[in-house]
Amino acid sequence: MPELKGKGPLGAKAKFTLFPVELVSNSGLSASELKIAREVIEENKDLFAERWNDYFNNSDK
């Protein structure tokens, strides 16, 4: 299952799953920052999934 990890200022970080887009963990990001992150992920989840599959399907070649 694809997951996205992101880092914010001062070591803040969050992790989301892609399908469905859900917050898995958060350490230090505000509700407004998480909302923006979720919106960006929702808008681009197909692209993220495509890149994820490209990377992991070709990583052993």
Side-chain angles (χ1 to χ4, degrees):
M1 170 188 320
E3 294 180 338
L4 295 170
K5 297 176 184 177
K7 292 186 179 180
L10 304 173
K13 56 188 173 184
K15 181 167 62 172
F16 288 85
T17 58
L18 262 185
F19 298 103
V21 176
E22 290 184 351
L23 180 64
V24 174
S25 63
N26 174 35
S27 176
L29 292 174
S30 69
S32 62
E33 291 169 321
L34 291 169
K35 182 178 185 251
I36 292 168
R38 180 183 296 276
E39 289 170 354
V40 169
I41 294 167
E42 282 285 356
E43 291 171 6
N44 295 285
K45 65 184 173 185
D46 292 332
L47 177 62
F48 288 134
E50 181 181 327
R51 297 294 186 259
W52 172 279
N53 289 328
D54 288 347
Y55 179 80
F56 285 104
N57 289 334
N58 292 314
S59 63
D60 59 343
K61 294 180 183 176

